[in-house]
Every structure is written in structure tokens, then in C-alpha cells.
Amino acid sequence: MLEVKALTSFYGDFQALFGIDLAVGENEVVSLIGSNGAGKTTSMRTITGLLHCDANMVLWKGQPIGHLRPDQIAKQGIAMVPEGRQLFPSLSVEENLRIGAQVNRPGFWNLVRVYELFPVLGERRNQASTTLSGGQQQMVAIGRALMANPEIILFDEISLGLAPIIINQIYEALPNIIDNGLSALIVEQDIARALKIAHRCYCLSEGKITLSGGTDVITQDDVSQAYFGV
Amino acid sequence: MVWVNSILQGVLLGGLYALFAAGLSLIFGIMRLVNIAHGDLIVLAAFLGLVVTSSLDIHPLASLVVVVPAMALLGYLLQYLLLNRTMSDDILPPLLVTFGLSVILQNVMLETFSADPQKMNTGALDTASITVGALHIGVLPLLMFAVAIAVIAGLQWLFYHTAIGRAFRATSDNADIAQLMGLNKKHVFSLAMALSLAVVAIAGIFLGTKTSFDPSSGPARLIFGFEAVIIGGLGNLWGTLFGGIILGVAQGIGAQIHPGLQQLAGHLVFLILLAIRPNGLFPRVAH
Ligand SMILES: Nc1ncnc2c1ncn2[C@@H]1O[C@H](COP(=O)(O)OP(=O)(O)OP(=O)(O)O)[C@@H](O)[C@H]1O
Ligand SMILES: [Mg+2]
């Protein structure tokens, strides 16, 4: 469904990605693993259109979308839960969720369903998003992405900076989310978890894919080797 | 009683300064753009009002019906076709481009309308006043003040109770992520400039009915607007109104002491407040 072909990406003169190939199929969960600075966030920012690339480097349902603006890509059904949550501080919890629906895609997800998934957000709907705990903010970020009724969500380090118990809660909610006919591309530092949750995985090192395959055959040792670029 | 009167006049004048300032504050708040041509656009709106008023033979205030949408359209196109190309993390390029625009506007207006001062005649409104005790309050300044409050309240409502206001706030917070919500940044920015110039249109018409103006009047209006914004605190619209009032009152008191002190008194109060409260009296809470 989502195909990335020979993707390159630059920050000015600095090249961050050197020809990445990856794919995520319908209803598939794929992990993207790599050390700090490997280019995981850059990949996601390029796919969502925040960084420029050529039209044919990103295909969505067979159509080139690499040249489109971020808002056009979002309307096609590609959502992101960005690294560090990045909620809108001047918007309340509910406004942060509502603005997710701005793309105008009908579907399963709406305010009521998001509040069912994360009841605590319903209790705090009118609070400023900055007053929530890190875990609750992450729930808002996930809810905001769901409100777009996307067909794929890119999750960038959803467990970063969260307490283990909160991470477990969020990962418990994930299968429910994905069962509703979603695909996901997940960046997760915890390799064991990244392998457990995904059908397939890619390892990224210094802007290149160094390993890829089904999580049924790839072991944590394989990943560690690719991780350190050995 | 003269003092009470000059303070009152100052308060009412503050409404006009708030109108100068609101549009400036709005676009800085949403897209960190400092529009040096803001004052000249106010004067352009006044000239536009003059043309509409005389060619259609209507009351200056009725010309708002034409001038507001015309300026809004100009704002949208200006942002979409020109200023959006200069926007980046660096606030300098748009500053330079609007500075150039300011020079161009002044010269085009000079060519078109000559350097003669102009004023719009509001007929009976010019002299109408209400007498309260020993105070005479002009109806036009009162109307101006009421419109300023209505404009600020309207903007406030738009920001906090509509989808477009939510889009403005989200874009102001984080323009990248706002795009992922399906918002076209260039369109949002252009709408913000359209809104800013709609307010400029109102400010320009009131400027033109209150005092005489000529093609070189713009920069002084820009300064008053800046001062009101800074006194009130960046990004706070009600603060901007208050900043305008402080400026107006300072000028009123200055003029009462000596007519030549009017402008100086305003600038002095601004500088003193800037020294005491560099972030303004009511800065928007930092996130
Ligand atoms: N805004 C930027 N300007 C210049 N270089 C950048 C920028 N953002 C990232 N980089 C560089 O691009 C490379 C890839 O960074 P990226 O953020 O994609 O890594 P990552 O895999 O997401 O790492 P992390 O695990 O730390 O989130 C790094 O070398 C980084 O220094
Ligand atoms: Mg990252």
C-alpha cells in the first residue's frame, strides 16, 4: 500500500537518507529500527511531505505522492504520531483531537470513540494539552492521528520518555486500533517490543537499510548486529 | 475638567491605535511576520475609501462595504503570491520585502494622489457630540472606540470559537504539524493576511475621517501600532487595546501640557514601559 523507493533526503547539503526501500502492506504492522541519528524520523518526515523528495520516491496505492504537500498527503489517509508528541499548546485537549479531523475523512474514529479508547482524555477534554502528563499527551497525539481516519499511521517513538507502565497501556491499546483496518509503521527503541508487535521489520543505519524481513525469522541478535552496523 | 476631558479623548483615540495595532499583532502572532508596510496599507485603505466615497457619492463609513473586502483580497494575494515566498525560519527576508513594499506603496500613492493632505468628510458626524456634565464627547471618536472594541472582541471570538481560528492557533504553535492536519500553510497564512488587511481597512477609513492623511502618513501609524502592541504584550489582543489606550492617554495629557508634546509624550511612555516591562503589560503566557 505504501511503497518507498530509493528514497533520499537532505537537510541542506547534509544527506540523511541514501536510497531507502521499504513497503507497508494493507493491515500490516512494520517496525523501523535503528540507532540514534540513523534517519528514522527523517524517513517519516519525508513520507509525510514535511521534507522534500521526488514524486516517485513515495508511492501510495501505486500512485506517486512524493511531490505532494503535507496537507495533501494527510488527506490521502497517511497520519503521523510525531516524535515528542508535538501537541498544539494553545489548543485544549478536545481542540487537539478535533483538528485531527480537519482532513475531512469519514470513518470509524470520532471524538466519542477516541474517548472510549482513552477515557482519561474525556475527563480532561477542556484542559490545556500542556497540563497533561506525558502519557496522556501521547494519548492525545495518537487520538489526533486517529481522528483523521487514516489508512496508515506512522508512529515515531511513542514510548519515548514515558514510564514503563504507561508504555504498556499504550501498547495494549495498539492492537485495538490496528484491528480497525489500519496499517502502521512503527519506530521503537525497544527492539524486543519492536519485533513482537510487527509483522515485518527494517533496520536502518546511517541512512541505509541494513536488514529487513519477517519478524518470525529475524532474531534480536540479527537486529543488534545490523544496529551497530557490524 | 480639562484634564478629565483630555484623558477621555486619549482613551477614545486609543481605540484607533488599537485598530492600527490589531492587524499587526495578528500576523506577527500567526506567522512571525513583521509587516513594515502596515502603516502604508492603512493609508492606502484611507485613499481607497476616499475614491469610493467620492465616485459612488456615499458616506465614508458606507465605503467600508467595498474597502474591507477589497483590502482583504489584496492581503490574500499579497501573501499568497509574494510574502509566502519569503517565509522561513528567518524573519529577516519578509521584513526586508515588506520594507520595500512600504517604499513602493508610498511612491505609487504619491504618483496617484499627489502629496496634498486629504480628509474624508462625515457630514453631521464630524461635529456631533454628546454632552455629559461639562464633558463633550464626539460621536465619531466614540463610534471609533466602539468599533475598536467590537473588532477586538470579534477577532477574539474568531480565534477561540471557530475552525479557522483553531487553524490559526495551531499554525502559530507548530506550522509543520499543522500541515499534517490537512492545513495548507500557504492558504492559512494568506487568510491571516486577508484578515489583517480587513482590520487595516477599518483602521484606514477611521483614520481618514478623523485626521488628514497623505501618502507619507504610513510610517507614523506603523509606529503607533507597534507601540500599542508592545505595551500591551505580544499576542494578546485585549492587551493591544489597552496598549492603544495608554498611548492615546499619554498623547492627550502631553498635548494638554503643551501642544508640541503630544507625540513625544506617547513615545516617552512607550519607552518607559518598555524599560520596566520589556514583555509588555500582558504578555501571552509562554508555553
Ligand atoms: N533539522 C535537521 N537539520 C540538519 N540535520 C538533521 C536535522 N534533523 C536531523 N538531522 C540529521 O539527520 C540524521 C538523521 O536524523 P533523524 O532525526 O532522522 O534520526 P533518528 O533515526 O530519528 O534518530 P533518533 O533515534 O535520535 O530520533 C542525523 O544525522 C541528524 O543529525
Ligand atoms: Mg527520531
Side-chain angles (χ1 to χ4, degrees):
Chain A
M1 193 160 59
L2 176 73
E3 281 172 275
V4 170
K5 288 191 168 160
L7 177 68
T8 54
S9 196
F10 298 83
Y11 293 100
D13 288 337
F14 175 78
Q15 183 163 10
L17 300 181
F18 298 85
I20 286 188
D21 293 284
L22 63 83
V24 184
E26 217 163 306
N27 256 316
E28 194 180 29
V29 179
V30 173
S31 280
L32 187 59
I33 306 171
S35 56
N36 285 346
K40 306 174 300 287
T41 300
T42 305
S43 306
M44 291 192 160
R45 289 177 66 86
T46 315
I47 293 170
T48 53
L50 291 174
L51 293 169
H52 292 287
C53 68
D54 295 344
N56 285 310
M57 289 181 175
V58 186
L59 304 182
W60 176 244
K61 298 176 180 169
Q63 299 297 315
I65 58 163
H67 58 299
L68 296 182
R69 292 193 312 261
D71 56 296
Q72 294 171 319
I73 292 175
K75 285 181 178 151
Q76 304 250 338
I78 301 177
M80 174 157 77
V81 179
E83 188 173 9
R85 308 182 270 277
Q86 307 206 36
L87 301 182
F88 301 109
S90 22
L91 272 57
S92 68
V93 168
E94 185 153 314
E95 283 179 317
N96 265 286
L97 294 174
R98 278 189 192 279
I99 203 165
Q102 188 98 29
V103 291
N104 249 325
R105 293 173 52 90
F108 176 82
W109 292 101
N110 52 36
L111 263 186
V112 175
R113 293 231 161 90
V114 170
Y115 287 149
E116 270 167 22
L117 181 70
F118 301 122
V120 64
L121 299 187
E123 294 158 23
R124 318 212 151 179
R125 61 206 297 167
N126 293 322
Q127 269 174 246
S129 51
T130 44
T131 62
L132 300 186
S133 70
Q136 291 163 352
Q137 289 190 18
Q138 192 59 273
M139 293 172 193
V140 178
I142 295 172
R144 182 176 68 179
L146 289 173
M147 289 289 284
N149 281 302
E151 290 173 65
I152 186 169
I153 301 189
L154 315 183
F155 293 94
D156 196 354
E157 309 220 12
I158 39 179
S159 42
L160 193 73
L162 300 183
I165 185 165
I166 305 289
I167 299 176
N168 282 335
Q169 269 178 26
I170 287 182
Y171 273 100
E172 272 162 30
L174 220 50
N176 291 331
I177 296 169
I178 292 160
D179 278 349
N180 284 300
L182 260 168
S183 307
L185 181 62
I186 295 179
V187 167
E188 171 58 63
Q189 292 281 6
D190 179 343
I191 298 173
R193 199 187 286 279
L195 291 177
K196 191 168 145 232
I197 192 150
H199 302 115
R200 285 188 305 115
C201 81
Y202 294 89
C203 292
L204 193 60
S205 176
E206 293 176 359
K208 298 186 192 85
I209 301 279
T210 49
L211 177 71
S212 68
T215 48
D216 46 347
V217 292
I218 287 186
T219 65
Q220 233 168 303
D221 287 343
D222 298 335
V223 174
S224 307
Q225 273 192 5
Y227 203 97
F228 296 110
V230 186
Chain B
M1 216 50 186
V2 249
W3 291 101
V4 178
N5 192 53
S6 55
I7 288 173
L8 186 67
Q9 304 304 335
V11 169
L12 298 183
L13 183 61
L16 183 63
Y17 293 163
L19 284 178
F20 291 166
L24 203 59
S25 164
L26 196 121
I27 49 161
F28 183 81
I30 296 172
M31 48 186 165
R32 307 285 173 276
L33 187 149
V34 179
N35 183 5
I36 301 291
H38 191 77
D40 307 292
L41 288 162
I42 293 174
V43 175
L44 177 70
F47 274 116
L48 212 57
L50 196 68
V51 170
V52 171
T53 304
S54 58
S55 57
L56 298 183
D57 195 21
I58 53 175
H59 192 270
L61 294 185
S63 76
L64 283 170
V65 180
V66 179
V67 180
V68 170
M71 290 300 289
L73 181 66
L74 175 70
Y76 190 94
L77 295 176
L78 181 67
Q79 184 69 37
Y80 203 87
L81 301 175
L82 178 68
L83 296 177
N84 271 340
R85 295 171 195 277
T86 70
M87 309 285 292
S88 65
D89 290 340
D90 189 355
I91 69 163
L92 198 57
L95 195 98
L96 294 176
V97 169
T98 57
F99 179 73
L101 189 67
S102 157
V103 174
I104 294 171
L105 277 174
Q106 286 180 37
N107 282 290
V108 168
M109 289 191 289
L110 190 63
E111 281 296 313
T112 319
F113 303 107
S114 86
D116 298 340
Q118 306 280 357
K119 188 173 178 300
M120 279 183 271
N121 189 346
T122 57
L125 258 185
D126 266 348
T127 50
S129 71
I130 309 169
T131 307
V132 183
L135 291 176
H136 300 286
I137 308 166
V139 172
L140 190 61
L142 201 60
L143 183 68
M144 208 163 67
F145 189 71
V147 167
I149 290 181
V151 165
I152 303 268
L155 289 175
Q156 199 77 13
W157 175 82
L158 184 102
F159 271 132
Y160 290 97
H161 297 280
T162 66
I164 182 69
R166 195 175 60 203
F168 282 153
R169 282 181 291 141
T171 304
S172 161
D173 281 347
N174 188 334
D176 271 357
I177 302 300
Q179 296 182 86
L180 299 184
M181 307 295 122
L183 297 167
N184 178 355
K185 187 162 89 177
K186 292 190 167 170
H187 177 62
V188 173
F189 282 178
S190 304
L191 285 177
M193 189 55 92
L195 186 61
S196 169
L197 290 211
V199 178
V200 156
I202 300 173
I205 298 296
F206 276 108
L207 170 74
T209 54
K210 193 193 160 292
T211 56
S212 58
F213 58 95
D214 64 69
S216 64
S217 308
R221 313 305 123 183
L222 173 72
I223 300 288
F224 293 154
F226 264 136
E227 290 181 343
V229 172
I230 305 287
I231 292 174
L234 268 178
N236 180 336
L237 282 170
W238 289 116
T240 297
L241 178 66
F242 197 73
I245 291 174
I246 288 186
L247 201 60
V249 169
Q251 290 188 358
I253 292 177
Q256 194 58 48
I257 298 169
H258 186 281
L261 284 181
Q262 180 179 5
Q263 308 255 327
L264 186 65
H267 297 323
L268 278 179
V269 166
F270 163 71
L271 288 174
I272 292 168
L273 283 173
L274 189 64
I276 309 173
R277 298 283 300 255
N279 289 328
L281 296 175
F282 312 102
R284 190 171 72 162
V285 278
H287 306 301

